[in-house]
Amino acid sequence: MERHFVMTAFGYAIVGLLLGIYMAATQNHIQHVTHAHIMLLGFVVSFIYAVCYRLWLNSSGSSLSKLQLLTHQVGTLGIVIGLYLLYSGTLKESIIGPILGISSILALTGLILMKVMLIQSFKSVKS
């Protein structure tokens, strides 16, 4: 799993930096919230998950780890795309708001699953 997270982390970093460069070049910073979510949730959190898998988790093929990867990636993509559509004025908040809410819950679920797997891993080390 760490490879999946490292590769997606750096993919998000590239997209986030491209958006940042675009905002700087156009002097239009309306997407700064989207940029921040790409860099933090997409890059930083994905990279931290990769480190957690590498250091503490041996369950890279388990169904729980696959679910954790899926919930984080779908949630992050939903948030990033939703924020971009919201701040670009493409969709109104009344339309994109529920999608952002569901995506946020998915990203939170990914975080909770990571915590559960870490607790399980630490308990097995103590035993």
Side-chain angles (χ1 to χ4, degrees), residues 6 14 16 23 33 39-40 45 48 57 60 67 69-71 73-74 80 87 98 101 110 113 115 117:
V6 166
I14 290 167
M23 289 188 307
V33 174
M39 296 306 292
L40 291 174
V45 174
I48 290 169
L57 299 176
S60 61
L67 181 61
L69 172 70
L70 181 67
T71 57
Q73 296 303 330
V74 171
V80 167
Y87 285 99
L113 289 172
K115 173 124 186 195
M117 289 186 297

Side-chain angles (χ1 to χ4, degrees), residues 82-98:
L83 288 173
Y84 186 85
L85 293 172
L86 177 66
Y87 285 99
S88 68
T90 305
L91 292 176
K92 294 182 180 187
E93 196 280 329
S94 61
I95 296 169
I96 201 67

Side-chain angles (χ1 to χ4, degrees), residues 49-103:
Y49 287 164
V51 170
C52 289
Y53 274 103
R54 182 72 172 173
L55 293 177
W56 298 295
L57 299 176
N58 297 321
S59 59
S60 61
S62 75
S63 57
L64 193 58
S65 65
K66 289 176 184 174
L67 181 61
Q68 192 270 332
L69 172 70
L70 181 67
T71 57
H72 176 73
Q73 296 303 330
V74 171
T76 300
L77 280 172
I79 290 169
V80 167
I81 293 168
L83 288 173
Y84 186 85
L85 293 172
L86 177 66
Y87 285 99
S88 68
T90 305
L91 292 176
K92 294 182 180 187
E93 196 280 329
S94 61
I95 296 169
I96 201 67
I99 295 167
L100 286 168
I102 291 166
S103 298

Side-chain angles (χ1 to χ4, degrees), residues 7-19 35 38-39 42-43:
M7 295 307 291
T8 57
F10 281 94
Y12 283 120
I14 290 167
V15 171
L17 285 176
L18 287 172
L19 180 57
H35 168 74
I38 293 170
M39 296 306 292
F43 174 56

